[in-house]
Amino acid sequence: GVTVALAEASKARHQAEAATLAEAKLNEMIAQGDWNSGGGSGDFSPDYPQYKWTATASTPDANINVTQVDLSVTWNERGQDRTYNVSTFVYANANGGVSGGISGGLP
């Protein structure tokens, strides 16, 4: 019972860390305009090097100035890769401003 409880506590901690890191990275990308480059990847060194991120950006409709940005955070837990995903739509208006909202979750 103790082993199961410790494993679940570790899983919850990793998921919470991944969610926080994913939201922070996506907000950073939007604030700096990095979402417009089509994506990227990296890790969260030096504080969280065990977590890796990958971002992609796509335009679902060429007639609307909206870009979908998807970001995945992955880590290895007990020998298995785990992933947490977040997504947002970014609207770049004619004045150069952007707006968007984030949604996320486990696959």
Side-chain angles (χ1 to χ4, degrees):
V2 171
T3 302
V4 171
L6 290 173
E8 288 302 312
S10 174
K11 181 179 174 182
R13 179 180 57 83
H14 284 288
Q15 288 176 354
E17 286 175 349
T20 301
L21 292 169
E23 185 175 346
K25 185 63 181 178
L26 195 55
N27 284 332
E28 174 188 314
M29 289 179 68
I30 292 168
Q32 295 179 356
D34 294 343
W35 59 273
N36 209 14
S37 66
S41 63
D43 64 23
F44 294 96
S45 291
D47 297 328
Y48 298 94
Q50 69 273 29
Y51 294 94
K52 314 281 187 247
W53 64 270
T54 304
T56 59
S58 60
T59 305
D61 186 341
N63 297 321
I64 302 173
N65 199 14
V66 173
T67 301
Q68 180 175 344
V69 182
D70 301 306
L71 187 130
S72 296
V73 174
T74 58
W75 68 97
N76 190 286
E77 183 179 340
R78 299 175 55 131
Q80 292 185 335
D81 286 339
R82 307 287 186 189
T83 304
Y84 187 88
N85 300 306
V86 292
S87 265
T88 191
F89 287 94
V90 181
Y91 170 72
N93 64 35
N95 298 327
V98 297
S99 62
I102 297 173
S103 66
L106 298 169

